[in-house]
DNA sequence: ATTTATACTGTATATATATTCAGTAAAATT
DNA sequence: AATTTTACTGAATATATATACAGTATAAAT
């Protein structure tokens, strides 16, 4: 999808906000009032640009005939599900996104940034099973005992976090797997975030 | 909330459907077209009746200024969380409802009726931990291997289901707990539903 | 160097839309 | 028995709204 200009983003945000507030889309005049434009044609041309770039559709002749496209409507209120591939870091890049789940406030106690699809049973005894979706909050501030997403070079794992001094232990919750010992300054080591919740879809 | 007449229900359904279809509310003329009325005043008076009864609000002077009230809008549906108390069945009775979670379509693969707050670790090896919320679909049609909510007299448990002939086995996912053997015709035995998903809030 | 896109103001207008008024008729309520 | 509610048709109208046209100016793309 083509990139939007700053003004076009403002207009798109204005439409979303207006719908959220009133339950129906704005008129050209409403947009002008919200954004301080003095001519309805300012709104009109922005709308046509948004339409051309595929962010909205406009029903010609209908009042308030603005419709957010699926991509536009969803992205604002949905959380990406990212696959935990053995080699490769969980980034929000499009190619890693498995699907989107409609966003919901207060689903967990903490806010979070994305879901991680779990592969393997290394955290089995913590009740984290294959194909579970772990809610991840992007942060490097983690405490001992937290379940963290750790990256070592291109390898990404979900483990218990335990640090003492410069030494970090990544502990699996499964006797069949080994603990991983790392130095804080090890190159290529990074804490991506921590688990703040879990969803099992079946 | 006051009861609606058949025609008023039709109009309300028409509004919901129109919004779902187009993304914005209908005009009086739109409603007439959908329901076969020949005068815009037919729609107008139905709308005013719906407003009077509290199902919608109307922004005067604005085109398409129809707004579904919170009760009316389907987005405001919520799912109850029910505590699994040792003695007492999980019913939708108010005293058993811990809280409500905003409803969301397609959160799990199947639809479901309520969340059950898990007590104890009898299903630990199935990745179901203390305080997890198990999504329960109310049904008595369960298959071998399903995780079910079974009631024996006033005791309610979450277990694997296994039946052969008249004999039913309720199997825990934890070696520290014992299997339960029951006859299908046992008085006071009942399958409340089955697990179709799980949420861990932390 | 020229075209296209962005970012507006300002005016004008056909029409889309809400809304009122005048009726008719049956059903429900008081 | 009288009043209110429901359930419409049909006509009229003020105004809300989309949208085209005429400009100005800058930035980006070709």
């Amino acid at each position: 999808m083509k990139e939007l200009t700053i003004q076009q983003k403002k207009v798109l945000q204005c439409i979303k906000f207006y719908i959220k507030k009133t339950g129906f889309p704005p008129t050209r005049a409403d947009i002008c009032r919200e954004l301080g434009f003095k001519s309805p044609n300012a709104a009109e041309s922005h709308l046509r640009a948004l339409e051309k770039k595929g962010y909205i559709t406009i029903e010609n002749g209908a009042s308030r005939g603005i419709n957010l496209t699926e991509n536009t409507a969803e992205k604002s209120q949905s959380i990406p599900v990212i696959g935990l591939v053995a080699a490769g870091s969980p980034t929000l890049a499009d190619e890693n996104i498995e699907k989107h789940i409609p966003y919901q406030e207060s689903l967990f106690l903490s806010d979070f940034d994305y879901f991680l699809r779990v592969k393997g049973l290394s955290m089995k005894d913590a009740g984290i099973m294959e194909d579970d979706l772990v809610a991840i909050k992007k942060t490097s501030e983690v405490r001992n005992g937290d379940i963290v997403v750790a990256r070592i070079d291109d390898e990404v794992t979900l483990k218990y976090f335990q640090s003492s001094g410069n030494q970090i232990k990544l502990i699996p919750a499964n006797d069949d797997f080994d603990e991983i010992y790392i130095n804080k300054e090890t190159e290529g080591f990074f804490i991506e975030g921590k688990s703040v919740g879990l969803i099992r879809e079946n």
Side-chain angles (χ1 to χ4, degrees), chain A:
Chain A
M1 199 122 72
K2 239 184 168 183
E3 272 290 311
L4 294 181
T5 66
I6 294 165
Q7 282 304 90
Q8 288 167 357
K9 274 181 192 166
K10 273 188 190 170
V11 173
L12 188 61
Q13 272 311 110
C14 171
I15 296 168
K16 286 182 187 175
F17 178 75
Y18 194 97
I19 292 174
K20 202 167 187 179
K21 200 180 63 178
T22 68
F24 42 86
T27 63
R28 277 49 166 181
D30 291 329
I31 295 171
C32 290
R33 202 176 310 114
E34 296 276 347
L35 298 179
F37 301 153
K38 287 174 182 168
S39 166
N41 189 42
E44 176 73 20
S45 43
H46 281 308
L47 288 176
R48 294 299 165 182
L50 286 171
E51 188 189 30
K52 207 172 176 183
K53 289 183 176 178
Y55 288 79
I56 62 170
T57 60
I58 299 173
E59 180 140 336
N60 291 303
S63 69
R64 304 180 188 272
I66 301 169
N67 215 336
L68 299 174
T69 37
E70 274 195 33
N71 286 331
T72 312
E74 249 192 337
K75 267 182 186 160
S76 64
Q77 48 183 326
S78 70
I79 297 280
V81 174
I82 297 172
L84 176 56
V85 276
S89 64
T91 62
L92 294 174
D94 275 351
E95 63 266 26
N96 290 330
I97 294 178
E98 199 180 292
K99 64 170 181 175
H100 279 257
I101 286 186
Y103 173 69
Q104 191 175 346
E105 271 182 68
S106 69
L107 185 58
F108 304 110
L109 301 177
S110 159
D111 60 334
F112 63 107
D113 297 295
Y114 60 91
F115 285 114
L116 192 66
R117 175 79 71 183
V118 174
K119 292 296 158 208
L121 284 168
S122 71
M123 293 301 282
K124 172 174 99 56
D125 293 343
I128 299 175
M129 313 303 274
E130 177 122 37
D131 288 331
D132 282 358
L133 300 176
V134 178
I136 302 298
K137 183 180 174 63
K138 282 197 286 186
T139 177
S140 51
E141 290 172 37
V142 295
R143 295 174 187 187
N144 287 345
D146 280 353
I147 294 173
V148 301
V149 178
R151 185 174 63 196
I152 308 164
D153 296 322
D154 272 347
E155 191 105 8
V156 174
T157 49
L158 196 67
K159 294 282 183 300
Y160 279 120
F161 178 86
Q162 190 79 40
S163 84
S164 53
N166 244 12
Q167 173 90 64
I168 287 174
K169 237 195 289 188
L170 296 175
I171 310 166
N174 186 337
D175 292 342
D176 300 341
F177 288 74
D178 292 324
E179 294 180 359
I180 301 171
Y181 297 87
I182 301 167
N183 194 288
K184 244 177 193 160
E185 270 82 40
T186 304
E187 223 178 305
F189 173 73
F190 187 67
I191 298 291
E192 299 265 5
K194 64 175 180 180
S195 159
V196 294
L198 182 145
I199 285 183
R200 186 170 303 150
E201 291 180 302
N202 55 61

